[in-house]
Amino acid sequence: MTTPPADDTRFLVAEGLSHSYDGTAALSALDLALPRGTLTCLIGPTGCGKTTLLRTLAGFLRPDAGRVSIGGRDVTDLDPARRGIGFVYQDLALFSHMSVRGNVGFGLRARGLHGTALRSRVDAMLERVGLEGFGERRPVTLSGGQRQRVALARALVFEPDILLLDEPFAALDKNVRADMQHEVRRLQRQLGITTVLVTHDQQEAMRLADVLVLMRQGRIVQWGPPRELYRHPASLFAARFLGDANSIHGTYRSAPPRLEGPLTLPVAAAPDGVADASPAVAVIRPEDVTLHTRAPTAAGSAAVVEGTVEAVAFTGATTEISVRSGPEGTRLTVVTTGSATPVTAAGADVWLSFPQERVILIPEERP
């Protein structure tokens, strides 16, 4: 490793990063501090600044303002090769004229390692990524997953402090993608390497990340453990981007706590930013809704809504049921799994219930 001991909770730090392309802001005074040894996923809509942030951390882009530090050392003006960072490009950027061994050993040769020492390091890394015996093959003869492993081996062979990956699985089919997700997570934990991965796939980010960073228009809108962001989104944008979400707009009333709108829903205590009589949004995850073919006898603290089934979609592991309810025709989606799905069809009368503690109340976003 190349960096000195540091505060492990602030190992990779960006402070006030700003960057523009032809006058259009890609990053806007962005702050981020990542712990050592964690896997962080950057996620957000196209054009939100994910790749710009990754390339700025790597040193491929010089920020217009702000600084980057690694292990307490300011690296803002440091050449990428001297930052102790391994980088996996979206297109992998393998050298087609070189063998697998040549690709993996390229960075080590550039650092002055040759002969038996070089071959030993490369062969050990090929074995670690599951490519033992592939050293003399050319990249063109490999499958997509195998090429991905070559790119990982090349990035890791010189034992960097940090691994950065720019949408590394985008070109892989579903099964290979799942295998490579598992492989990256396995290697990351085994090596204890601080890793930042850009992805546009919400499920991939949820599955892999210790820390999830949600970006929008060059800024971080929320970050933390994936479960925390999913269960406690700070905005309607965050709720919808991180998963399916039923949303009901209305006015918050504090006595008793409820949302008044097309549907009146009991809610738990309002979070900061939601005052009495202020506009708010209730968010309910589809998997938190229970569908009944008969009216429930006792609701307890759960809200109960009557409606009519509009559509039923079987997706394999789950069934999605769309229900229209309320005087203004509010549409709610229910997701059930396996045998938990009641037999329903379009036009059937049903009742929906959900506990008030699963109703996420957030402030109404300004236009």
Side-chain angles (χ1 to χ4, degrees):
M1 296 294 179
T2 59
T3 55
D7 177 0
D8 282 355
T9 65
R10 292 177 56 83
F11 181 66
L12 176 58
V13 178
E15 296 178 286
L17 286 189
S18 295
H19 190 81
S20 297
Y21 298 104
D22 298 325
T24 300
L27 298 177
S28 301
L30 183 146
D31 294 319
L32 182 64
L34 301 177
R36 184 195 293 267
T38 53
L39 193 156
T40 296
C41 285
L42 306 180
I43 192 168
T46 300
C48 72
K50 303 184 296 294
T51 294
T52 298
L53 174 57
L54 198 75
R55 293 178 66 83
T56 303
L57 295 175
F60 300 143
L61 290 177
R62 178 68 169 80
D64 300 331
R67 61 192 292 269
V68 176
S69 60
I70 299 173
R73 178 181 60 156
D74 190 334
V75 299
T76 310
D77 297 317
L78 203 61
D79 184 86
R82 298 176 60 199
R83 294 193 181 197
I85 286 177
F87 199 99
V88 176
Y89 302 85
Q90 183 173 356
D91 64 0
L92 305 184
L94 299 178
F95 301 116
S96 60
H97 65 285
M98 290 185 182
S99 66
V100 166
R101 179 173 283 107
N103 270 276
V104 174
F106 180 81
L108 291 177
R109 288 194 301 277
R111 289 167 170 79
L113 195 66
H114 298 283
T116 303
L118 172 64
R119 188 177 186 90
S120 177
R121 284 275 293 276
V122 170
D123 285 349
M125 182 53 65
L126 289 177
E127 182 177 359
R128 176 163 271 170
V129 300
L131 289 178
E132 186 178 11
F134 284 76
E136 303 309 318
R137 298 269 295 271
R138 294 292 178 91
V140 71
T141 69
L142 304 177
S143 68
Q146 289 167 338
R147 288 194 294 271
Q148 190 75 58
R149 291 171 188 268
V150 175
L152 274 172
R154 183 177 62 182
L156 293 171
V157 72
F158 64 93
E159 299 178 349
D161 295 293
I162 294 167
L163 176 64
L164 305 179
L165 305 101
D166 187 9
E167 301 215 33
F169 315 123
L172 302 178
D173 64 39
K174 181 180 178 181
N175 291 336
V176 176
R177 187 184 186 101
D179 288 343
M180 288 309 305
Q181 289 170 357
H182 173 78
E183 185 67 8
V184 165
R185 196 52 161 138
R186 181 187 69 81
L187 286 168
Q188 186 271 329
R189 285 174 170 157
Q190 185 180 83
L191 299 173
I193 188 169
T194 306
T195 300
V196 183
L197 184 152
V198 167
T199 180
H200 64 275
D201 187 318
Q202 293 91 331
Q203 290 187 345
E204 180 172 281
M206 292 282 187
R207 182 179 298 115
L208 290 175
D210 298 308
V211 179
L212 195 61
V213 176
L214 177 61
M215 297 182 64
R216 187 184 194 187
Q217 297 177 342
R219 300 179 184 273
I220 294 173
V221 297
Q222 193 172 359
W223 68 291
R227 187 181 297 273
E228 178 69 18
L229 266 65
Y230 185 77
R231 280 299 171 194
H232 302 286
S235 64
L236 186 57
F237 164 76
R240 287 176 170 169
F241 196 86
L242 295 175
D244 294 332
N246 296 302
S247 56
I248 301 170
H249 298 255
T251 301
Y252 172 67
R253 303 294 182 184
S254 60
R258 66 195 185 279
L259 184 78
E260 292 183 348
L263 300 172
T264 297
L265 305 175
V267 298
D272 292 341
V274 179
D276 186 38
S278 67
V281 184
V283 173
I284 307 144
R285 297 293 186 193
E287 66 271 20
D288 291 330
V289 182
T290 301
L291 185 143
H292 310 266
T293 55
R294 297 181 181 180
T297 55
S301 63
V304 176
V305 174
E306 186 175 358
T308 303
V309 173
E310 281 195 334
V312 179
F314 175 69
T315 63
T318 64
T319 299
E320 298 178 4
I321 304 169
S322 296
V323 176
R324 184 71 65 174
S325 179
E328 297 182 23
T330 302
R331 188 173 69 86
L332 300 171
T333 300
V334 186
V335 172
T336 61
T337 58
S339 59
T341 304
V343 178
T344 56
D349 293 328
V350 295
W351 289 259
L352 307 179
S353 67
F354 36 87
Q356 69 177 27
E357 61 268 20
R358 288 300 196 186
V359 179
I360 307 163
L361 197 66
I362 54 180
E364 181 73 73
E365 293 182 18
R366 295 178 181 178

